[in-house]
Amino acid sequence: MNKKYDRVIVAAIAVFLGLIAGAVIILILKRNPISAYYSLLRGCGLAPKVKYAGGKNMLSDFSSFLDYMTPMLFAALAVVVAFKTGLFNIGVSGQMLVGSFLATILIGYSNIPSVLAKPLVIIIAAAGGGLIGGLIGYLKYRFNINEVVSSIMLNYTASYIIGFLINTRYVDPVSRQSRDIGANARLTLHQISIGSYKYDIPLGFILALVAIVAVKILLDKTVLGFEIKCVGANREAARYSGIKVGSSMVISMLISGVLSGIAGAVCYLGYISTIQPKVLSPTGFDAIAVCLVGGSSPVGILFSTFFLMIISKGSTYMSSQMGLEAEIASVITGLILLTSACSAFILERIKMIRRKRGAGE
Amino acid sequence: MNNLSTVIINGMSFALPLFIMAIGGIYSERSGVTNLALEGLQGFGAFTGALAAYVIGMHLEADSMVPTYFAMLFAILGGMLFSLLHAVLCNYFKADMVISGVVINILAMAMTAFLTKTINKNIFGAASDKFVLGVMRRFDIPLISRIPVLGAFFTNLYPFEIIIAILAFAAWYLLYKTPFGLHLRAAGDNPAAVDAAGINVIRIRYLAVMMSGALSGLAGICFAYSISAKFSSDIYVGYGYLAIAALIFGGWKIIPTLGACLIFGFARSAGYQIVQQLGLPSSYSDLVMVLPYVLTLVLLVFLAHNSQAPRALGEAYDKSKR
């Protein structure tokens, strides 16, 4: 039995246990868990709704679902890359914010033609995010500062400073958020009419698939990727074999930051078009969950993102249909996380059962 | 009241809850269990405490202090209960302790937000995402509060500040002056030796994590009764992480950690005072909020490489590897 297969089994078991626990809560609230879970699928355009508003159909729901999950793909990929060096990038939200804020003020409010503006948005956001990510890596390497602590500190610092700048310079007096960016800079083609229906077309989604393949190649086929994984597996062994541990850490955090920055761009200049001051996007924290469930592999997160985003995107529809609070979605996600955190334990148990069976034969 | 007194009074009422939470973190980490869950634990404690205050307060007069003390008790119990999750994940399921901590935080935020709404709707019949608590009544200690300058430390106190001071001293005594404290500290440095001496390492680690849960819960309800005056998801503003930063600064020792917490507290209150004195618009206070975080980073740059973490920190104890 190969290892990859085992990991998929373990992830599936963890998710299943989490869903069962969620179902128990739904039962306690005297609702039917199966129809609750089915309404999640309906909310994401994966199952037909009973009734559609004008200009909407299942495919248009699905297009907004893809739009919704695109930031998470980048964010989870960012966590994966850092995780491979044994670092924990809990600062994705802050990096998203810095990257997207810079892109918003430099490009979002300009008249640059969209052919030029869209790539520039991505480049600037990537640079902004990469800068913060790289800084966290450097602080770890040079001053031995725990990356979790520095990420958190930078998260809040970024959030308050950017909040201050938005409130004093870029605020929309009605919505109390930053002013809407122009359509030229937006990475989602918002509410495009095709036939009689309107769709949200996320340009970033294709870029995300490209990024996943690129990260997979980087990790599996290049010297840098090999070094990154070595440092993650055993820092001391890597040091003795002559790998520059410090620079591997800085580089992987830099890449992680770049991906986070792009996540910010496809979120704040794609899925939505404004930044709410002093609020850190939950995407950055949920990305850790997605990475965990996806077995911290680039291909794994494609599936775990798809799966977990159904729960969070579908929760609005579920809440309106079932009369359950939408927050229950994050509780279910949290429960899945809890069981996923025990995946090493589950794996051990599977091996033990297998060994016993092997001995019996 | 002059400026300096205000800075001292507000600084202390922020620094002390932070300090008691950091002490909890020290207990957990000195026993060998990395604890990033402080943030979630303080939030969950604040939730159970606020809920208790609500339920008990319904049957009492409005200005009664009884619900407040019950709130503290239930916050301690709630935090302790929730911390068991972290203890079980780390000790029994051998989960990665950093991941477990983050998971606990995410789960605490999700659960308290969900439960607050559900309970408000189904039990209190109100569509609300918070429990309003108000601010705890303050008092002066007679005579000593009249001393110039230093008297400010005894003026306008929240009752919880006294409780924290007593608990902090007890925690210090327990950790450094008793056999249990010695075993706990040894469990984080050399668990195999502790085990060889016939002491149950896992049991010590469970107790240490529960201690951190209890103290974090207390800190959470103190923040809920002072800074935020309510329980809502606003309680998760990173004070738990700030406490972790403080204990790392303090080199996992209680007295230096107090120093770190005081620096955070006074930086924050002094910043606010400056904004107010200069007559700046309120949006400038956001810049002040940055101070503790930036200060942490700057100080860590100078101090992090000197501080010595417990040697077995973050490793699940495995008897078979002895």
Side-chain angles (χ1 to χ4, degrees):
Chain A
M1 212 69 69
N2 70 29
K3 259 172 126 183
K4 233 174 219 163
Y5 180 71
D6 272 355
R7 283 205 333 231
V8 174
I9 294 278
V10 169
I13 292 176
V15 165
F16 182 70
L17 290 176
L19 285 178
I20 294 282
V24 171
I25 297 182
I26 297 173
L27 272 177
I28 292 173
L29 294 165
K30 300 194 185 92
R31 301 290 195 290
N32 182 346
I34 294 171
S35 47
Y37 285 155
Y38 190 63
S39 67
L40 289 177
L41 294 178
R42 285 173 157 177
C44 301
L46 295 164
K49 282 182 191 170
V50 186
K51 220 171 76 183
Y52 283 97
K56 298 252 181 201
N57 62 3
M58 210 169 113
L59 197 61
S60 71
D61 276 354
F62 186 66
S63 79
S64 8
F65 173 62
L66 286 185
D67 192 19
Y68 180 78
M69 74 180 265
T70 305
M72 182 56 85
L73 281 176
F74 280 108
L77 203 56
V79 179
V80 167
V81 173
F83 209 65
K84 290 286 177 192
T85 14
L87 293 180
F88 205 64
N89 188 359
I90 198 172
V92 172
S93 291
Q95 292 147 28
M96 284 171 69
L97 197 60
V98 171
S100 59
F101 178 70
L102 290 177
T104 299
I105 58 170
L106 293 175
I107 309 294
Y109 299 142
S110 71
N111 300 319
I112 302 172
S114 71
V115 196
L116 214 63
K118 290 188 207 298
L120 273 176
V121 161
I122 290 174
I123 292 168
I124 290 171
L131 205 69
I132 304 291
L135 175 65
I136 293 167
Y138 181 76
L139 289 173
K140 169 88 180 178
Y141 151 67
R142 178 75 179 75
F143 300 107
N144 187 30
I145 298 178
N146 186 315
E147 78 278 7
V148 174
V149 174
S150 59
S151 307
I152 298 279
M153 297 301 129
L154 286 171
N155 271 356
Y156 288 111
T157 310
S159 161
Y160 282 116
I161 291 180
I162 290 173
F164 170 75
L165 291 173
I166 289 175
N167 277 333
T168 48
R169 283 157 197 259
Y170 305 104
V171 75
D172 178 329
V174 179
S175 68
R176 305 302 302 159
Q177 306 194 346
S178 68
R179 294 195 311 272
D180 268 328
I181 57 158
N184 59 332
R186 195 160 173 186
L187 299 172
T188 297
L189 305 176
H190 189 62
Q191 295 290 304
I192 296 294
S193 297
I194 302 172
S196 54
Y197 297 112
K198 284 183 174 167
Y199 300 92
D200 293 327
I201 298 167
L203 301 175
F205 185 73
I206 297 150
L207 192 65
L209 297 181
V210 173
I212 287 173
V213 174
V215 168
K216 185 152 175 59
I217 292 173
L218 171 82
L219 289 173
D220 291 351
K221 308 281 178 199
T222 67
V223 177
L224 177 66
F226 179 74
E227 290 183 349
I228 284 178
K229 284 193 289 186
C230 275
V231 172
N234 188 333
R235 207 167 285 172
E236 288 312 302
R239 198 188 310 276
Y240 282 116
S241 64
I243 294 170
K244 290 201 181 82
V245 173
S247 67
S248 301
M249 287 199 294
V250 175
I251 290 171
S252 90
M253 275 308 289
L254 188 82
I255 298 172
S256 179
V258 163
L259 291 166
S260 308
I262 301 176
V266 292
C267 177
Y268 297 110
L269 297 94
Y271 178 65
I272 49 176
S273 54
T274 68
I275 301 175
Q276 193 182 352
K278 291 197 283 177
V279 175
L280 286 164
S281 159
T283 305
F285 299 99
D286 292 346
I288 296 160
V290 173
C291 166
L292 195 62
V293 176
S296 55
S297 99
V299 181
I301 60 139
L302 187 59
F303 294 99
S304 60
T305 303
F306 187 76
F307 177 75
L308 289 174
M309 287 301 97
I310 290 175
I311 298 179
S312 88
K313 171 79 175 166
S315 66
T316 330
Y317 185 72
M318 180 184 74
S319 142
S320 72
Q321 290 296 302
M322 309 284 299
L324 288 165
E325 304 297 339
E327 279 82 0
I328 195 167
S330 31
V331 175
I332 295 171
T333 309
L335 291 170
I336 291 174
L337 261 183
L338 205 61
T339 46
S340 301
C342 305
S343 54
F345 181 82
I346 300 175
L347 193 64
E348 214 170 84
R349 279 295 141 108
I350 291 179
K351 280 184 186 155
M352 221 153 85
I353 292 167
R354 206 172 279 156
R355 229 177 288 139
K356 264 186 200 158
R357 244 190 237 154
E361 272 164 16
Chain B
M1 213 181 297
N2 63 38
N3 292 328
L4 187 60
S5 308
T6 316
V7 170
I8 290 175
I9 290 165
N10 292 337
M12 289 300 284
S13 65
F14 180 73
L16 285 175
L18 203 62
F19 177 47
I20 201 71
M21 180 150 51
I23 291 179
I26 290 175
Y27 265 79
S28 173
E29 302 220 331
R30 286 303 286 264
S31 82
V33 181
T34 309
N35 199 340
L36 287 181
L38 294 184
E39 176 79 357
L41 295 176
Q42 61 96 23
F44 197 83
F47 165 76
T48 48
L51 182 60
Y54 246 54
V55 172
I56 294 162
M58 283 194 302
H59 309 290
L60 292 165
E61 301 141 51
D63 61 342
S64 164
M65 282 296 278
V66 176
T68 318
Y69 293 108
F70 269 99
M72 285 200 220
L73 181 68
F74 276 88
I76 289 174
L77 291 176
M80 202 192 278
L81 201 69
F82 207 64
S83 70
L84 269 178
L85 212 52
H86 186 56
V88 171
L89 278 177
C90 293
N91 290 315
Y92 183 74
F93 288 106
K94 307 266 190 291
D96 183 305
M97 293 178 185
V98 174
I99 289 181
S100 168
V102 173
V103 168
I104 299 285
N105 291 342
I106 293 177
L107 192 65
M109 279 182 226
M111 276 181 68
T112 51
F114 171 70
L115 288 174
T116 308
K117 265 193 160 178
T118 309
I119 290 172
N120 264 325
K121 196 166 87 179
N122 294 333
I123 297 176
F124 301 124
S128 164
D129 58 355
K130 54 180 178 276
F131 295 129
V132 179
L133 295 172
V135 175
M136 214 183 259
R137 201 185 308 144
R138 297 173 170 223
F139 69 100
D140 294 347
I141 293 179
L143 295 177
I144 19 179
S145 59
R146 303 258 185 84
I147 304 170
V149 187
L150 286 180
F153 284 99
F154 305 98
T155 313
N156 248 346
L157 291 175
Y158 289 111
F160 66 68
E161 292 182 57
I162 308 287
I163 295 172
I164 286 175
I166 295 167
L167 282 179
F169 177 76
W172 172 84
Y173 186 84
L174 184 64
L175 189 62
Y176 292 108
K177 304 288 172 193
T178 64
F180 173 76
L182 182 67
H183 298 157
L184 190 147
R185 284 178 289 140
D189 274 331
N190 194 342
V194 176
D195 195 17
I199 293 147
N200 189 339
V201 174
I202 301 294
R203 190 176 143 260
I204 286 191
R205 288 188 171 183
Y206 266 95
L207 288 173
V209 173
M210 283 164 73
M211 184 84 165
S212 79
L215 296 182
S216 302
L218 176 64
I221 196 72
C222 294
F223 286 129
Y225 265 116
S226 55
I227 294 174
S228 46
K230 63 177 184 298
F231 173 82
S232 72
S233 47
D234 293 356
I235 201 93
Y236 302 102
V237 281
Y239 297 147
Y241 294 108
L242 212 54
I244 292 167
L247 76 91
I248 291 179
F249 260 170
W252 287 266
K253 296 185 192 82
I254 290 182
I255 304 293
T257 301
L258 174 62
C261 292
L262 290 177
I263 293 174
F264 290 160
F266 291 142
R268 189 170 178 279
S269 58
Y272 273 126
Q273 200 60 22
I274 290 167
V275 168
Q276 219 166 45
Q277 285 298 307
L278 297 178
L280 296 169
S282 66
S283 54
Y284 279 78
S285 61
D286 287 344
L287 286 182
V288 173
M289 294 293 283
V290 170
L291 272 175
Y293 305 115
V294 174
L295 204 63
T296 306
L297 272 181
V298 173
L299 286 174
L300 280 177
V301 164
F302 292 108
L303 296 172
H305 54 281
N306 291 330
S307 63
Q308 180 62 53
R311 273 190 288 275
L313 183 61
E315 293 165 21
Y317 180 59
D318 188 347
K319 214 171 181 157
S320 61
K321 287 188 181 151
R322 209 174 93 194

